[in-house]
Amino acid sequence: MIHSFLADLLDHPKVVETQQHMHHSISKHDHLARTARISYKLARLMRADIRICVRAAMIHDIDSRLGTLKTHGRIAATWAAAQGECDEVCHAIETHMYPFGPKPRTKEAWVVSLADKAASLTDLTVMVSGIMTGRTWQRRRQLKQSDPHFVVRQQLRHRRVARYR
Ligand SMILES: [Fe+2]
Ligand SMILES: [Fe+2]
């Protein structure tokens, strides 16, 4: 059911590439998908528009590294608007970091903001429990090799070391 609201987004290269990005020591895609699943349940519970909630949830942290804690919602919302997402979806994305950033003004925006916090807590639990099994370190190593942010930093470090040899 949730898939029918997200099929086009899940195939979008910008969403697909989040599988390679690290976020809370897991892949950003896992965080977005978890937020979408929680948003789906919360939207039903709160009688909010499910489609708006799950689409906003699946986009809410796109390009988050380009902004700060307060501004990355606006960055993802701008991307969503350029893709043709409606104002309600963009508003829910922009306000997901409340109280760090603008306050949600719709039921759907509250759903996404709450779902993001619940998902982040679960991400943290997964990360901490994975420390015992070694899974967290393994996942971090994999993501550091695939995430362009870390790859570029690694290349710069190697270049600096080579220069001083
Ligand atoms: Fe965020
Ligand atoms: Fe998030």
Side-chain angles (χ1 to χ4, degrees), residues 75-136:
I75 289 168
T78 304
W79 182 83
Q83 302 304 306
E85 297 294 337
C86 66
D87 290 349
E88 290 83 356
V89 168
C90 297
H91 173 67
I93 294 170
E94 187 176 359
T95 58
H96 81 267
M97 284 304 290
Y98 180 76
F100 305 103
K103 187 175 179 176
R105 291 190 314 269
T106 62
K107 207 195 278 186
E108 288 73 22
W110 277 110
V111 164
V112 176
S113 182
L114 290 171
D116 178 44
K117 283 151 189 78
S120 300
L121 269 177
T122 309
D123 297 345
L124 206 70
T125 311
V126 169
M127 194 260 272
V128 171
S129 60
I131 288 174
M132 322 289 182
T133 61
R135 173 85 183 124
T136 294

Coordinates of all heavy atoms in Angstrom, one line a residue, residues 75-136:
I75 N 16.1 23.2 2.2 CA 16.8 22.7 1.0 C 16.1 21.5 0.4 O 15.9 21.5 -0.9 CB 18.3 22.4 1.4 CG1 19.1 23.7 1.7 CG2 19.0 21.5 0.3 CD1 20.4 23.5 2.3
A76 N 15.7 20.6 1.2 CA 15.0 19.4 0.7 C 13.6 19.9 0.1 O 13.2 19.3 -0.9 CB 14.8 18.4 1.8
A77 N 13.0 20.8 0.7 CA 11.6 21.3 0.2 C 11.8 22.0 -1.1 O 10.9 21.9 -2.0 CB 11.0 22.3 1.3
T78 N 12.9 22.7 -1.3 CA 13.1 23.4 -2.6 C 13.3 22.4 -3.7 O 12.8 22.5 -4.8 CB 14.4 24.3 -2.5 OG1 14.2 25.2 -1.4 CG2 14.6 25.1 -3.7
W79 N 14.0 21.3 -3.4 CA 14.2 20.2 -4.3 C 12.9 19.6 -4.7 O 12.5 19.3 -5.8 CB 15.2 19.1 -3.8 CG 15.4 18.0 -4.8 CD1 16.3 18.1 -5.8 CD2 14.8 16.8 -4.8 NE1 16.2 16.9 -6.5 CE2 15.3 16.1 -6.0 CE3 13.7 16.2 -4.1 CZ2 14.9 14.8 -6.3 CZ3 13.3 14.9 -4.5 CH2 13.9 14.2 -5.6
A80 N 12.1 19.3 -3.6 CA 10.7 18.7 -3.8 C 9.9 19.6 -4.7 O 9.2 19.1 -5.6 CB 10.1 18.5 -2.5
A81 N 9.9 20.9 -4.5 CA 9.1 21.8 -5.3 C 9.5 21.8 -6.7 O 8.7 21.8 -7.7 CB 9.2 23.2 -4.7
A82 N 10.8 21.7 -7.0 CA 11.3 21.6 -8.3 C 10.9 20.3 -9.0 O 10.8 20.3 -10.3 CB 12.8 21.7 -8.3
Q83 N 10.6 19.3 -8.2 CA 10.1 18.0 -8.8 C 8.6 18.0 -9.0 O 8.1 17.0 -9.5 CB 10.5 16.8 -7.9 CG 11.9 16.7 -7.5 CD 12.8 16.5 -8.8 OE1 12.5 15.7 -9.6 NE2 13.8 17.4 -8.9
G84 N 8.0 19.1 -8.6 CA 6.5 19.2 -8.8 C 5.7 18.7 -7.6 O 4.5 18.5 -7.8
E85 N 6.3 18.5 -6.5 CA 5.5 18.2 -5.3 C 4.7 19.3 -4.9 O 5.1 20.5 -5.0 CB 6.5 17.8 -4.1 CG 7.3 16.5 -4.4 CD 6.6 15.2 -4.5 OE1 5.4 15.1 -4.0 OE2 7.1 14.3 -5.2
C86 N 3.5 19.1 -4.3 CA 2.6 20.1 -3.9 C 3.0 20.9 -2.7 O 3.9 20.4 -2.0 CB 1.2 19.5 -3.7 SG 1.1 18.5 -2.3
D87 N 2.4 22.0 -2.5 CA 2.8 22.9 -1.3 C 2.7 22.2 0.0 O 3.5 22.4 0.9 CB 1.8 24.1 -1.2 CG 2.1 25.1 -2.4 OD1 3.1 24.9 -3.1 OD2 1.3 26.0 -2.6
E88 N 1.7 21.3 0.2 CA 1.5 20.6 1.5 C 2.7 19.7 1.7 O 3.2 19.6 2.9 CB 0.2 19.8 1.5 CG -1.0 20.6 1.5 CD -1.5 21.1 0.2 OE1 -0.7 20.9 -0.9 OE2 -2.5 21.7 0.1
V89 N 3.2 19.0 0.7 CA 4.3 18.1 0.8 C 5.6 18.9 1.2 O 6.3 18.6 2.1 CB 4.6 17.2 -0.5 CG1 6.0 16.6 -0.4 CG2 3.5 16.2 -0.6
C90 N 5.8 20.0 0.4 CA 6.9 20.9 0.6 C 6.9 21.5 2.1 O 8.0 21.6 2.7 CB 7.0 22.0 -0.4 SG 7.2 21.3 -2.1
H91 N 5.8 21.9 2.5 CA 5.7 22.5 3.9 C 6.1 21.4 4.9 O 6.8 21.7 5.9 CB 4.2 23.0 4.1 CG 4.1 23.4 5.6 ND1 4.7 24.5 6.1 CD2 3.3 22.9 6.6 CE1 4.4 24.7 7.4 NE2 3.5 23.7 7.7
A92 N 5.6 20.2 4.8 CA 5.9 19.1 5.7 C 7.4 18.9 5.7 O 8.0 18.6 6.8 CB 5.1 17.9 5.4
I93 N 8.0 18.9 4.6 CA 9.5 18.7 4.5 C 10.2 19.9 5.2 O 11.1 19.6 6.0 CB 9.9 18.6 3.0 CG1 9.3 17.4 2.4 CG2 11.4 18.6 2.9 CD1 9.5 17.3 0.9
E94 N 9.8 21.1 4.9 CA 10.5 22.3 5.4 C 10.4 22.3 6.9 O 11.4 22.8 7.6 CB 9.9 23.5 4.8 CG 10.7 24.8 5.2 CD 10.2 26.0 4.5 OE1 9.2 26.0 3.8 OE2 10.8 27.1 4.8
T95 N 9.4 21.8 7.5 CA 9.2 22.0 9.0 C 9.6 20.8 9.8 O 9.3 20.7 11.0 CB 7.7 22.4 9.3 OG1 6.9 21.4 8.8 CG2 7.4 23.7 8.7
H96 N 10.2 19.8 9.1 CA 10.3 18.5 9.8 C 11.3 18.6 11.0 O 11.3 17.8 11.9 CB 10.8 17.4 8.9 CG 12.2 17.3 8.5 ND1 12.8 18.0 7.4 CD2 13.3 16.8 9.2 CE1 14.1 17.8 7.4 NE2 14.4 17.1 8.4
M97 N 12.2 19.6 11.0 CA 13.1 19.7 12.1 C 12.6 20.5 13.3 O 13.4 20.8 14.3 CB 14.4 20.4 11.6 CG 15.3 19.4 10.8 SD 15.7 17.9 11.7 CE 16.9 18.5 12.9
Y98 N 11.4 21.0 13.3 CA 10.8 21.7 14.4 C 11.1 21.0 15.7 O 11.0 19.8 15.8 CB 9.3 21.9 14.3 CG 8.7 22.7 15.4 CD1 8.8 24.0 15.4 CD2 8.0 22.0 16.4 CE1 8.2 24.8 16.5 CE2 7.4 22.7 17.4 CZ 7.5 24.1 17.5 OH 7.0 24.8 18.5
P99 N 11.6 21.7 16.8 CA 11.7 23.1 17.0 C 13.0 23.8 16.4 O 13.2 25.0 16.7 CB 11.7 23.2 18.6 CG 12.4 22.0 19.0 CD 12.0 20.9 18.0
F100 N 13.8 23.0 15.7 CA 15.0 23.6 15.1 C 14.5 24.0 13.7 O 14.8 23.3 12.7 CB 16.2 22.7 15.0 CG 16.6 22.1 16.3 CD1 16.2 20.8 16.7 CD2 17.3 22.9 17.2 CE1 16.6 20.3 17.9 CE2 17.7 22.4 18.4 CZ 17.3 21.1 18.8
G101 N 13.9 25.2 13.5 CA 13.4 25.5 12.2 C 11.9 25.9 12.3 O 11.3 25.8 13.5
P102 N 11.3 26.2 11.2 CA 9.9 26.6 11.2 C 8.9 25.6 11.8 O 9.1 24.4 11.8 CB 9.6 26.9 9.8 CG 10.6 26.2 9.0 CD 11.8 26.1 9.8
K103 N 7.8 26.1 12.4 CA 6.8 25.3 13.0 C 5.8 24.7 12.0 O 5.3 25.4 11.1 CB 6.0 26.2 14.0 CG 5.1 25.4 14.9 CD 4.5 26.4 15.9 CE 3.5 25.7 16.8 NZ 2.9 26.5 17.9
P104 N 5.5 23.4 12.2 CA 4.5 22.8 11.3 C 3.1 23.5 11.4 O 2.7 23.8 12.5 CB 4.4 21.4 11.8 CG 5.6 21.1 12.5 CD 6.0 22.4 13.1
R105 N 2.5 23.8 10.3 CA 1.1 24.4 10.3 C 0.0 23.5 9.9 O -1.1 23.9 9.9 CB 1.1 25.6 9.4 CG 2.0 26.8 9.9 CD 1.7 28.1 9.0 NE 1.7 27.7 7.6 CZ 2.8 27.8 6.8 NH1 3.9 28.2 7.3 NH2 2.7 27.5 5.5
T106 N 0.4 22.3 9.5 CA -0.7 21.3 9.1 C -0.5 20.0 9.8 O 0.5 19.7 10.4 CB -0.6 21.0 7.6 OG1 0.7 20.4 7.3 CG2 -0.7 22.3 6.7
K107 N -1.6 19.2 9.8 CA -1.6 17.9 10.5 C -0.5 17.1 9.9 O 0.2 16.3 10.5 CB -3.0 17.3 10.4 CG -3.3 16.3 11.5 CD -4.5 15.5 11.1 CE -5.8 16.2 11.3 NZ -7.0 15.3 11.0
E108 N -0.4 17.1 8.5 CA 0.5 16.3 7.8 C 2.0 16.7 8.2 O 2.8 15.8 8.3 CB 0.3 16.5 6.3 CG -0.9 15.8 5.7 CD -2.2 16.5 6.1 OE1 -2.1 17.7 6.4 OE2 -3.3 15.9 6.1
A109 N 2.2 18.0 8.4 CA 3.6 18.4 8.7 C 3.9 17.9 10.1 O 5.1 17.5 10.4 CB 3.7 19.9 8.6
W110 N 2.9 17.9 11.0 CA 3.2 17.4 12.4 C 3.5 15.9 12.3 O 4.4 15.4 13.0 CB 2.0 17.6 13.3 CG 2.0 19.0 13.9 CD1 1.1 20.0 13.6 CD2 2.9 19.5 14.9 NE1 1.4 21.2 14.3 CE2 2.5 20.9 15.1 CE3 4.0 19.0 15.5 CZ2 3.2 21.7 16.0 CZ3 4.7 19.8 16.4 CH2 4.3 21.1 16.7
V111 N 2.8 15.2 11.5 CA 3.0 13.7 11.3 C 4.5 13.5 10.9 O 5.2 12.7 11.5 CB 2.1 13.1 10.3 CG1 2.5 11.7 9.8 CG2 0.6 13.0 10.8
V112 N 5.0 14.2 9.9 CA 6.3 14.0 9.4 C 7.4 14.4 10.5 O 8.4 13.7 10.7 CB 6.5 14.7 8.1 CG1 8.0 14.6 7.6 CG2 5.5 14.2 7.0
S113 N 7.1 15.5 11.1 CA 8.1 16.0 12.2 C 8.2 14.9 13.3 O 9.3 14.6 13.8 CB 7.6 17.3 12.7 OG 8.5 17.8 13.6
L114 N 7.0 14.4 13.7 CA 7.0 13.4 14.8 C 7.7 12.1 14.3 O 8.4 11.4 15.0 CB 5.6 13.1 15.3 CG 4.9 14.3 16.1 CD1 3.4 14.0 16.3 CD2 5.6 14.5 17.4
A115 N 7.3 11.7 13.1 CA 7.8 10.4 12.5 C 9.3 10.5 12.4 O 10.0 9.5 12.6 CB 7.2 10.2 11.2
D116 N 9.9 11.7 12.0 CA 11.3 11.8 11.8 C 12.0 11.6 13.2 O 13.0 10.9 13.3 CB 11.6 13.2 11.3 CG 13.1 13.4 11.1 OD1 13.8 12.5 10.7 OD2 13.6 14.5 11.5
K117 N 11.4 12.1 14.3 CA 12.0 12.0 15.6 C 12.0 10.5 16.0 O 12.9 10.0 16.6 CB 11.4 12.9 16.6 CG 11.8 14.4 16.4 CD 10.9 15.4 16.7 CE 11.4 16.8 16.3 NZ 11.2 17.1 14.8
A118 N 10.8 9.9 15.8 CA 10.7 8.5 16.2 C 11.7 7.6 15.4 O 12.3 6.7 15.9 CB 9.3 8.0 15.9
A119 N 11.8 7.9 14.1 CA 12.7 7.2 13.2 C 14.2 7.4 13.7 O 15.0 6.4 13.7 CB 12.5 7.6 11.8
S120 N 14.5 8.6 14.0 CA 15.9 8.9 14.4 C 16.2 8.1 15.7 O 17.3 7.7 15.9 CB 16.1 10.4 14.7 OG 15.8 11.1 13.5
L121 N 15.2 8.0 16.6 CA 15.5 7.3 17.9 C 15.7 5.8 17.6 O 16.6 5.2 18.1 CB 14.2 7.4 18.8 CG 14.3 8.5 19.8 CD1 12.9 8.6 20.6 CD2 15.4 8.4 20.8
T122 N 14.9 5.3 16.6 CA 15.1 3.9 16.2 C 16.4 3.7 15.6 O 17.1 2.7 15.8 CB 13.9 3.4 15.3 OG1 12.7 3.8 15.9 CG2 14.0 1.9 15.0
D123 N 16.8 4.7 14.7 CA 18.2 4.6 14.0 C 19.2 4.5 15.1 O 20.2 3.7 15.0 CB 18.4 5.9 13.2 CG 17.5 6.1 12.1 OD1 16.8 5.1 11.7 OD2 17.4 7.2 11.5
L124 N 19.1 5.3 16.2 CA 20.1 5.3 17.2 C 20.1 3.9 18.0 O 21.2 3.4 18.3 CB 19.7 6.4 18.2 CG 20.8 7.0 19.0 CD1 21.7 7.9 18.1 CD2 20.2 7.9 20.2
T125 N 18.9 3.4 18.2 CA 18.9 2.1 18.9 C 19.6 1.0 18.0 O 20.3 0.2 18.5 CB 17.4 1.7 19.1 OG1 16.7 2.8 19.6 CG2 17.2 0.5 19.9
V126 N 19.3 1.0 16.7 CA 19.9 0.1 15.8 C 21.4 0.3 15.8 O 22.2 -0.7 15.9 CB 19.4 0.3 14.3 CG1 20.2 -0.5 13.3 CG2 17.9 0.0 14.2
M127 N 21.9 1.5 15.9 CA 23.3 1.8 15.9 C 24.0 1.3 17.2 O 25.0 0.6 17.1 CB 23.5 3.4 15.8 CG 24.9 3.8 15.4 SD 25.8 4.3 16.9 CE 25.3 6.1 16.9
V128 N 23.3 1.6 18.3 CA 23.9 1.1 19.6 C 23.9 -0.4 19.7 O 24.9 -1.0 20.1 CB 23.1 1.8 20.8 CG1 23.6 1.2 22.1 CG2 23.4 3.3 20.8
S129 N 22.8 -1.0 19.3 CA 22.8 -2.5 19.4 C 23.8 -3.1 18.4 O 24.3 -4.2 18.7 CB 21.4 -3.1 19.2 OG 20.9 -2.7 18.0
G130 N 24.0 -2.5 17.3 CA 25.0 -3.0 16.3 C 26.4 -2.8 16.8 O 27.3 -3.5 16.2
I131 N 26.7 -2.0 17.8 CA 28.0 -1.9 18.3 C 28.5 -3.2 18.9 O 29.6 -3.6 18.8 CB 28.1 -0.7 19.4 CG1 28.0 0.6 18.6 CG2 29.4 -0.8 20.1 CD1 27.9 1.8 19.5
M132 N 27.6 -3.9 19.6 CA 27.9 -5.1 20.3 C 28.2 -6.2 19.3 O 29.2 -7.0 19.4 CB 26.7 -5.7 21.1 CG 25.9 -4.6 21.9 SD 26.8 -4.0 23.2 CE 25.7 -2.8 23.9
T133 N 27.5 -6.2 18.2 CA 27.7 -7.3 17.2 C 28.7 -7.0 16.1 O 29.1 -7.9 15.4 CB 26.3 -7.6 16.5 OG1 26.0 -6.4 15.7 CG2 25.2 -8.0 17.4
G134 N 29.1 -5.7 16.1 CA 30.1 -5.3 15.1 C 29.4 -4.8 13.8 O 30.1 -4.3 12.9
R135 N 28.1 -5.0 13.7 CA 27.4 -4.6 12.5 C 27.5 -3.1 12.2 O 27.6 -2.7 11.1 CB 25.9 -5.0 12.7 CG 24.9 -4.6 11.7 CD 24.9 -5.5 10.5 NE 24.0 -5.0 9.5 CZ 24.4 -4.8 8.2 NH1 25.6 -5.1 7.8 NH2 23.6 -4.3 7.3
T136 N 27.5 -2.3 13.3 CA 27.5 -0.8 13.1 C 28.8 -0.4 12.5 O 28.8 0.3 11.5 CB 27.4 -0.1 14.5 OG1 26.1 -0.4 15.0 CG2 27.6 1.4 14.4

